[in-house]
Amino acid sequence: MRVLPLVENEMLKLWKRRRFRLVLLILVGLIGTIVFAQVQGREKFRSKKDWRIDTQERVARMRNWVRQGRMPDTQKNWMQFEISRLQYHLDRNIDPEAVSGPLFTRGFANAASYLLLHLLAIVFAADVVSSEFSQGTIKLLLTRPISRSRVLGSKLVALLLAIGLTVLIGGCVAYLFGGLAYGFRGWGVPILTGFRQTAGTFDASGVRAVPLWEDVIAVFGLAWFAAAAVGAIGFLASVLLRSTAASMGTMFAALILGTILPRLAPTWAFQKYLFPTNLPLPDYYSGSPPPISGMTLEFSVITLAVWALAAVALAFVVFTRRDVLA
Amino acid sequence: MPLPHRCEKVLRVREVVLSAKNLTKRFGKRVAVADVSFEVLAGEVFGFLGPNGAGKTTTIRMLVGLARPDAGSIHIRGLDLARDFQGAMSHVGCIVESPDLYKYLTGRENLLHFARMLPEEAAARIPEIAKRVSLEERLDDRVSTYSLGMRQRLGIAQALLGNPDLLILDEPANGLDPAGIREIRRLVRSLAEERGIGVFVSSHLLAEVELMCDRVAIIHRGRTLASGPVRELLDRPRGPHRFTVRPAGVAISVLGPFAESGTAEAEGEEDVAVNLSKERVPEAVRALGAAGVEVFGIERPASSLEEVFLEVTGGETV
């Protein structure tokens, strides 16, 4: 028995339930709003100041804050790091804020991988198994001459496909809208990458200039990876809780915890092993400091991979063993 | 109830398509199904009769591999369900509890969906099966617009896709109107008689089982109380015969000796109830005639499921 027809089934159900179409609409609406708001804001802002002066002012302001020193260490580290990053751009006469369609696309992936893509991943994942339980169709699905693990496997593949498509379509929509607002060209612009923070200090040793498109691919790859990890964990929630609402709620709570916890309890080191803390991968890549000091891109990728694999393994064990009484 | 050609058929030796042995299922301390055994033959309709909550659906869940029995074994066409799930299930079509299908898909999309989970030739069977369950005209409408009867038929169509040797239907008459019930009954009988499918039907309605099934097992509180051909099991003496006679007083003394249990009792002014077997009714009528009693009617109220239980359990309360 081939797996492909089963994946086809799952994609059909995703599409016919309008979930997928809803997610596309959310993406279009959201990106449209962002671009509109940016253009409106920029219009007033742009004429006033030269970007150099602006950047220099930001650097000076942050230096001042750091000198005053009334802030937690993590925040101070972040400031110092941001100062060095801006200084690096200033030294080489590159506007750190100049926007083009491609840059907007990259910025979108960066921002979206904080919460948006993960929320969308959960919308798919929370439903993929539990809806079969709530509809009662699980009884039909599991009484075919097909092993349970194959049924679940096809659902996982469909889920990862849907998440991948969402990230890809999000990128395309962002490029379309960003291009309309800021111009479609600029894929080849050199961009600095490889900023890192090691032991609390800004490390520019790995910095190099790459064409923007290379950077965009990397950022989208990382955004997809993080969203897929969220999807895998949501998949487990869907198997365990057998209710769409319950698994969505649980996963949303986890995500929100991941955005709040590093701010409210920055000194609790253990949270770097929790999956929500590790999600903003593209941020590391583009040189922002990690939520908790000591975390690196590699660390977060590995932590997420472990979480995702463990979740999928547990989902399979539970799904193939448990009695279906729905 | 005349059942013309069913009895001869049972006599022929036929393949056992489903064999359940000593099935037991516990939920915590509660024993839902205890030591249930039965066999379903090819070409017969086997009734699984019991009140709601007797363990019927739990048994069915074990038969189709949704729940694991705590003890006992299930063989479908000789294949052990626990060892060779895919092999065993390739001979089974089923509806468990209710015909839940994807409401947001059309009937055809639903059938295609389940055909993709079967060997490739299944999809080619869709037109023929749709015709068989009289759904061909509504096949491209969404299931959410279907009546319950149509959903039930689509459920059966889905179960037939894999060309099964064993069909398992859970309460197929539930929620249907009399016409719908008749239609399902005719369909089930024809599947068994014409295609030789063994059909396992659960029900809490005695009348339905009497009309549809060849053999029956009665389940109560998770145990099978009795099993056998429908006529033997359900056609046994049930309630008392009620004679409408005039004068009642004389009739009571005439019918008294006929009573196989208790005595003849007056029920209202002209009705006398007495327990006696069908075979002795003509004799009783002759005796009444000889005594000058006028007989206006004799009836025997259909016994309820509870009464059958009382009988097979020998008086244990339901």
Coordinates of all heavy atoms in Angstrom, one line a residue, chain A residues 161-231:
Chain A
L161 N 3.9 19.5 5.0 CA 3.7 20.1 3.7 C 2.9 21.4 3.8 O 3.3 22.4 3.2 CB 2.9 19.2 2.8 CG 3.7 18.3 1.8 CD1 2.7 17.3 1.1 CD2 4.5 19.1 0.8
A162 N 1.9 21.4 4.6 CA 1.0 22.5 4.7 C 1.8 23.7 5.4 O 1.7 24.8 5.0 CB -0.2 22.2 5.6
I163 N 2.6 23.3 6.4 CA 3.4 24.4 7.0 C 4.4 25.0 6.1 O 4.6 26.2 6.0 CB 4.1 23.8 8.3 CG1 3.0 23.5 9.4 CG2 5.1 24.8 8.9 CD1 3.6 22.8 10.6
G164 N 5.1 24.1 5.3 CA 6.0 24.5 4.3 C 5.4 25.5 3.3 O 5.9 26.5 3.0
L165 N 4.2 25.1 2.8 CA 3.5 25.9 1.9 C 3.1 27.2 2.5 O 3.2 28.3 1.8 CB 2.2 25.2 1.4 CG 2.4 24.2 0.2 CD1 1.0 23.5 0.0 CD2 2.8 25.0 -1.0
T166 N 2.7 27.2 3.7 CA 2.4 28.5 4.4 C 3.6 29.4 4.4 O 3.4 30.6 4.1 CB 1.9 28.2 5.8 OG1 0.8 27.2 5.7 CG2 1.3 29.4 6.5
V167 N 4.7 28.9 4.8 CA 5.9 29.7 4.9 C 6.3 30.3 3.5 O 6.5 31.5 3.3 CB 7.1 28.9 5.5 CG1 8.4 29.8 5.4 CG2 6.8 28.5 6.9
L168 N 6.2 29.4 2.5 CA 6.5 29.8 1.1 C 5.6 30.8 0.6 O 6.0 31.9 0.1 CB 6.5 28.5 0.2 CG 7.1 28.7 -1.1 CD1 8.6 28.8 -1.1 CD2 6.7 27.5 -2.0
I169 N 4.3 30.6 0.8 CA 3.3 31.5 0.3 C 3.4 32.8 1.1 O 3.3 33.9 0.5 CB 1.9 30.9 0.4 CG1 1.7 29.8 -0.6 CG2 0.8 32.0 0.1 CD1 0.5 28.9 -0.4
G170 N 3.7 32.8 2.4 CA 3.9 34.0 3.2 C 5.0 34.8 2.6 O 4.9 36.0 2.4
G171 N 6.1 34.1 2.2 CA 7.2 34.8 1.6 C 6.8 35.5 0.3 O 7.2 36.6 0.0
C172 N 6.1 34.7 -0.6 CA 5.7 35.3 -1.9 C 4.8 36.5 -1.7 O 4.9 37.5 -2.4 CB 4.9 34.2 -2.7 SG 6.0 32.9 -3.2
V173 N 3.8 36.4 -0.8 CA 2.9 37.5 -0.5 C 3.7 38.7 0.0 O 3.5 39.9 -0.5 CB 1.8 37.1 0.4 CG1 0.9 38.3 0.8 CG2 0.9 36.0 -0.2
A174 N 4.6 38.5 0.9 CA 5.4 39.6 1.5 C 6.2 40.2 0.4 O 6.3 41.5 0.3 CB 6.3 39.0 2.6
Y175 N 6.8 39.4 -0.5 CA 7.6 40.0 -1.6 C 6.7 40.8 -2.6 O 7.1 41.9 -3.0 CB 8.3 38.9 -2.4 CG 9.1 39.4 -3.5 CD1 10.1 40.4 -3.4 CD2 8.9 38.9 -4.8 CE1 10.8 40.9 -4.4 CE2 9.7 39.4 -5.9 CZ 10.6 40.4 -5.7 OH 11.3 40.9 -6.7
L176 N 5.5 40.3 -2.8 CA 4.6 41.0 -3.7 C 4.2 42.4 -3.1 O 4.3 43.4 -3.8 CB 3.3 40.1 -3.9 CG 2.3 40.8 -4.8 CD1 2.7 40.8 -6.3 CD2 1.0 40.0 -4.7
F177 N 3.8 42.3 -1.9 CA 3.3 43.6 -1.3 C 4.5 44.5 -1.0 O 4.4 45.7 -1.3 CB 2.6 43.3 0.1 CG 1.2 42.8 -0.1 CD1 0.8 42.1 -1.2 CD2 0.2 43.1 0.8 CE1 -0.5 41.6 -1.4 CE2 -1.1 42.7 0.6 CZ -1.4 41.9 -0.5
G178 N 5.6 44.0 -0.5 CA 6.8 44.8 -0.3 C 7.3 45.4 -1.6 O 7.7 46.5 -1.6
G179 N 7.3 44.6 -2.6 CA 7.7 45.0 -3.9 C 6.9 46.2 -4.4 O 7.4 47.2 -5.0
L180 N 5.6 46.0 -4.3 CA 4.7 47.1 -4.7 C 5.0 48.4 -4.0 O 4.9 49.5 -4.5 CB 3.2 46.7 -4.5 CG 2.7 45.6 -5.4 CD1 1.3 45.1 -5.0 CD2 2.7 46.1 -6.9
A181 N 5.3 48.3 -2.7 CA 5.6 49.5 -1.9 C 7.0 50.0 -2.0 O 7.2 51.2 -2.1 CB 5.3 49.2 -0.4
Y182 N 8.0 49.1 -2.1 CA 9.4 49.6 -2.0 C 10.2 49.2 -3.3 O 11.4 49.5 -3.3 CB 10.1 49.0 -0.8 CG 9.3 49.2 0.5 CD1 8.8 48.1 1.2 CD2 9.1 50.4 1.0 CE1 8.1 48.2 2.3 CE2 8.4 50.6 2.1 CZ 7.9 49.5 2.8 OH 7.2 49.7 4.0
G183 N 9.6 48.6 -4.3 CA 10.3 48.2 -5.5 C 10.7 46.7 -5.4 O 11.0 46.2 -4.3
F184 N 10.7 46.1 -6.5 CA 10.9 44.6 -6.5 C 12.4 44.2 -6.6 O 12.8 43.1 -6.4 CB 10.2 44.0 -7.7 CG 8.7 43.9 -7.5 CD1 7.9 44.9 -8.1 CD2 8.1 42.9 -6.7 CE1 6.5 44.9 -7.9 CE2 6.7 42.9 -6.6 CZ 5.9 43.9 -7.1
R185 N 13.2 45.2 -6.9 CA 14.6 44.9 -7.1 C 15.4 44.9 -5.8 O 15.0 45.4 -4.8 CB 15.2 45.9 -8.1 CG 14.6 45.6 -9.5 CD 14.7 46.9 -10.3 NE 16.1 47.3 -10.5 CZ 16.7 47.3 -11.7 NH1 16.0 47.0 -12.8 NH2 18.0 47.7 -11.8
G186 N 16.6 44.4 -5.9 CA 17.5 44.5 -4.8 C 17.9 43.1 -4.2 O 18.3 43.0 -3.0
W187 N 17.7 42.0 -4.9 CA 18.0 40.7 -4.4 C 19.5 40.5 -4.3 O 20.0 39.7 -3.5 CB 17.5 39.6 -5.3 CG 16.0 39.4 -5.2 CD1 15.1 39.6 -6.1 CD2 15.3 38.8 -4.1 NE1 13.8 39.3 -5.7 CE2 14.0 38.8 -4.4 CE3 15.7 38.3 -2.9 CZ2 13.0 38.3 -3.6 CZ3 14.8 37.8 -2.0 CH2 13.4 37.8 -2.3
G188 N 20.3 41.3 -5.1 CA 21.7 41.1 -5.1 C 22.5 42.0 -4.1 O 23.7 41.9 -4.0
V189 N 21.8 42.9 -3.5 CA 22.5 43.8 -2.5 C 23.3 43.0 -1.5 O 22.8 42.0 -0.9 CB 21.4 44.7 -1.8 CG1 21.9 45.3 -0.6 CG2 20.8 45.6 -2.8
P190 N 24.5 43.4 -1.3 CA 25.3 42.7 -0.3 C 24.7 43.0 1.1 O 24.3 44.1 1.4 CB 26.7 43.3 -0.4 CG 26.5 44.6 -1.1 CD 25.3 44.5 -1.9
I191 N 24.7 42.0 1.9 CA 24.2 42.2 3.3 C 25.2 41.5 4.2 O 25.8 40.5 3.9 CB 22.8 41.6 3.4 CG1 22.2 42.0 4.7 CG2 22.7 40.1 3.2 CD1 20.7 42.1 4.7
L192 N 25.3 42.1 5.4 CA 26.3 41.6 6.3 C 25.6 40.5 7.2 O 24.5 40.7 7.7 CB 26.7 42.7 7.3 CG 27.5 43.7 6.5 CD1 27.8 44.9 7.4 CD2 28.9 43.2 6.0
T193 N 26.2 39.4 7.3 CA 25.7 38.3 8.1 C 26.8 37.7 8.9 O 28.0 37.9 8.7 CB 25.0 37.3 7.2 OG1 24.3 36.3 8.0 CG2 26.0 36.6 6.3
G194 N 26.4 36.9 9.9 CA 27.4 36.2 10.8 C 27.7 36.9 12.0 O 28.6 36.6 12.7
F195 N 26.9 38.0 12.4 CA 27.0 38.6 13.7 C 26.7 37.5 14.8 O 25.8 36.7 14.6 CB 26.0 39.7 13.9 CG 26.2 40.8 13.0 CD1 25.4 41.0 11.9 CD2 27.2 41.8 13.2 CE1 25.5 42.0 11.0 CE2 27.3 42.8 12.3 CZ 26.5 43.0 11.2
R196 N 27.5 37.5 15.8 CA 27.1 36.6 16.9 C 27.4 37.3 18.2 O 28.2 38.2 18.3 CB 27.9 35.3 16.9 CG 28.3 34.8 15.6 CD 29.1 33.5 15.8 NE 28.5 32.6 16.7 CZ 28.1 31.4 16.3 NH1 28.3 31.0 15.1 NH2 27.6 30.6 17.2
Q197 N 26.9 36.7 19.2 CA 27.2 37.1 20.6 C 27.8 36.0 21.3 O 27.2 34.9 21.4 CB 25.9 37.6 21.3 CG 26.2 38.3 22.6 CD 25.0 38.4 23.4 OE1 24.1 37.6 23.4 NE2 25.0 39.5 24.2
T198 N 29.1 36.1 21.6 CA 29.7 35.1 22.4 C 30.2 35.7 23.7 O 30.8 36.7 23.8 CB 31.0 34.5 21.7 OG1 31.7 35.6 21.1 CG2 30.6 33.5 20.6
A199 N 29.9 35.0 24.8 CA 30.2 35.4 26.1 C 29.8 36.8 26.4 O 30.6 37.6 27.0 CB 31.7 35.1 26.4
G200 N 28.7 37.2 25.9 CA 28.2 38.5 26.2 C 28.8 39.7 25.4 O 28.4 40.8 25.6
T201 N 29.7 39.4 24.5 CA 30.3 40.5 23.7 C 30.0 40.3 22.3 O 29.8 39.1 21.8 CB 31.8 40.5 23.9 OG1 32.4 39.2 23.6 CG2 32.2 40.9 25.3
F202 N 29.9 41.4 21.6 CA 29.7 41.3 20.2 C 30.9 40.8 19.5 O 32.0 41.2 19.7 CB 29.3 42.7 19.7 CG 29.1 42.8 18.3 CD1 28.1 42.1 17.7 CD2 30.0 43.6 17.5 CE1 27.9 42.2 16.3 CE2 29.7 43.6 16.1 CZ 28.7 42.9 15.5
D203 N 30.6 39.8 18.6 CA 31.7 39.1 17.9 C 31.5 39.3 16.4 O 30.6 38.7 15.9 CB 31.8 37.7 18.3 CG 32.8 36.9 17.5 OD1 33.6 37.5 16.8 OD2 32.7 35.6 17.5
A204 N 32.3 40.1 15.8 CA 32.2 40.3 14.4 C 33.2 39.5 13.6 O 33.3 39.7 12.4 CB 32.4 41.8 14.1
S205 N 33.8 38.5 14.2 CA 34.9 37.8 13.5 C 34.3 37.0 12.4 O 34.9 36.8 11.4 CB 35.6 36.9 14.5 OG 34.6 36.0 15.1
G206 N 33.0 36.5 12.5 CA 32.4 35.7 11.5 C 31.7 36.5 10.4 O 31.0 35.9 9.6
V207 N 31.7 37.8 10.6 CA 30.8 38.6 9.7 C 31.4 38.6 8.2 O 32.6 38.7 8.0 CB 30.8 40.1 10.2 CG1 30.2 41.0 9.1 CG2 30.0 40.1 11.5
R208 N 30.4 38.4 7.3 CA 30.8 38.5 5.9 C 29.6 39.0 5.2 O 28.5 39.0 5.6 CB 31.2 37.1 5.4 CG 30.1 36.1 5.4 CD 30.6 34.7 5.6 NE 29.4 33.9 5.9 CZ 28.7 33.3 5.0 NH1 28.9 33.4 3.7 NH2 27.6 32.6 5.4
A209 N 29.9 39.5 4.0 CA 28.8 40.1 3.1 C 28.4 39.0 2.1 O 29.2 38.4 1.5 CB 29.4 41.3 2.4
V210 N 27.1 38.8 2.1 CA 26.5 37.8 1.1 C 25.4 38.6 0.3 O 24.9 39.5 0.8 CB 25.9 36.6 1.8 CG1 27.0 35.8 2.5 CG2 24.8 36.9 2.7
P211 N 25.1 38.1 -0.9 CA 24.0 38.7 -1.6 C 22.7 38.4 -0.8 O 22.6 37.4 -0.1 CB 23.9 37.9 -2.9 CG 24.9 36.8 -2.8 CD 25.8 37.0 -1.7
L212 N 21.8 39.3 -0.8 CA 20.6 39.3 0.0 C 19.8 38.0 -0.2 O 19.3 37.4 0.8 CB 19.7 40.5 -0.3 CG 18.4 40.6 0.5 CD1 18.7 40.6 2.0 CD2 17.7 41.9 0.1
W213 N 19.7 37.5 -1.4 CA 18.9 36.3 -1.7 C 19.3 35.1 -0.9 O 18.6 34.3 -0.4 CB 18.8 36.0 -3.2 CG 20.1 35.7 -3.9 CD1 20.9 36.5 -4.6 CD2 20.7 34.4 -3.9 NE1 22.0 35.9 -5.0 CE2 21.9 34.6 -4.7 CE3 20.4 33.1 -3.4 CZ2 22.8 33.5 -4.9 CZ3 21.3 32.1 -3.7 CH2 22.4 32.3 -4.4
E214 N 20.7 35.0 -0.7 CA 21.2 33.9 0.1 C 20.7 34.0 1.5 O 20.3 33.0 2.1 CB 22.7 34.0 0.0 CG 23.4 32.7 -0.4 CD 24.9 32.9 -0.3 OE1 25.5 33.3 -1.4 OE2 25.5 32.6 0.7
D215 N 20.8 35.2 2.0 CA 20.4 35.5 3.3 C 18.9 35.2 3.5 O 18.4 34.6 4.5 CB 20.6 37.0 3.7 CG 20.7 37.2 5.1 OD1 21.5 36.6 5.8 OD2 19.9 38.0 5.6
V216 N 18.1 35.6 2.5 CA 16.6 35.4 2.6 C 16.3 33.9 2.6 O 15.5 33.4 3.4 CB 15.9 36.1 1.4 CG1 14.5 35.6 1.3 CG2 16.0 37.6 1.6
I217 N 17.0 33.1 1.8 CA 16.8 31.7 1.8 C 17.1 31.1 3.2 O 16.3 30.3 3.8 CB 17.6 31.0 0.7 CG1 17.1 31.3 -0.6 CG2 17.7 29.5 0.9 CD1 17.9 30.8 -1.8
A218 N 18.2 31.5 3.8 CA 18.6 31.0 5.1 C 17.5 31.4 6.2 O 17.1 30.5 7.0 CB 19.9 31.6 5.5
V219 N 17.1 32.6 6.1 CA 16.1 33.1 7.1 C 14.8 32.3 6.9 O 14.2 31.8 7.9 CB 15.8 34.6 6.9 CG1 14.6 35.0 7.7 CG2 17.0 35.4 7.4
F220 N 14.3 32.1 5.7 CA 13.1 31.3 5.5 C 13.2 29.9 5.9 O 12.3 29.3 6.4 CB 12.6 31.4 4.0 CG 11.7 32.6 3.8 CD1 12.2 33.9 3.5 CD2 10.3 32.5 4.0 CE1 11.4 35.0 3.4 CE2 9.5 33.6 3.9 CZ 10.1 34.8 3.5
G221 N 14.4 29.3 5.6 CA 14.7 27.9 6.0 C 14.5 27.8 7.5 O 13.9 26.9 8.0
L222 N 15.1 28.7 8.3 CA 15.1 28.7 9.7 C 13.6 28.9 10.2 O 13.2 28.2 11.2 CB 16.0 29.7 10.3 CG 17.5 29.4 10.1 CD1 18.4 30.6 10.5 CD2 17.9 28.2 10.9
A223 N 12.9 29.8 9.6 CA 11.6 30.1 10.0 C 10.7 28.8 9.8 O 9.9 28.5 10.6 CB 11.0 31.3 9.2
W224 N 11.0 28.2 8.6 CA 10.2 26.9 8.4 C 10.6 25.9 9.4 O 9.7 25.2 9.9 CB 10.5 26.4 7.0 CG 9.9 25.1 6.8 CD1 8.6 24.8 6.4 CD2 10.6 23.8 6.9 NE1 8.4 23.5 6.4 CE2 9.6 22.8 6.7 CE3 11.8 23.4 7.3 CZ2 9.9 21.4 6.7 CZ3 12.1 22.0 7.3 CH2 11.1 21.1 7.1
F225 N 11.8 25.8 9.7 CA 12.2 24.7 10.7 C 11.5 24.9 12.0 O 11.0 24.0 12.6 CB 13.8 24.8 10.9 CG 14.3 23.7 11.8 CD1 14.4 22.4 11.4 CD2 14.6 24.1 13.1 CE1 14.9 21.4 12.3 CE2 15.0 23.1 14.0 CZ 15.2 21.8 13.6
A226 N 11.5 26.2 12.5 CA 10.9 26.5 13.8 C 9.4 26.2 13.7 O 8.9 25.6 14.6 CB 11.2 28.0 14.2
A227 N 8.8 26.6 12.6 CA 7.3 26.4 12.5 C 7.0 24.9 12.4 O 6.0 24.4 13.0 CB 6.8 27.1 11.2
A228 N 7.9 24.1 11.8 CA 7.7 22.7 11.7 C 7.8 22.0 13.0 O 7.1 21.1 13.4 CB 8.7 22.1 10.7
A229 N 8.8 22.6 13.8 CA 8.9 22.0 15.2 C 7.7 22.3 16.0 O 7.2 21.4 16.7 CB 10.2 22.6 15.9
V230 N 7.2 23.5 15.9 CA 5.9 23.8 16.6 C 4.8 22.9 16.1 O 4.0 22.3 16.9 CB 5.5 25.3 16.3 CG1 4.1 25.5 16.9 CG2 6.5 26.2 17.0
G231 N 4.8 22.7 14.8 CA 3.8 21.8 14.2 C 3.9 20.4 14.8 O 2.9 19.7 15.1

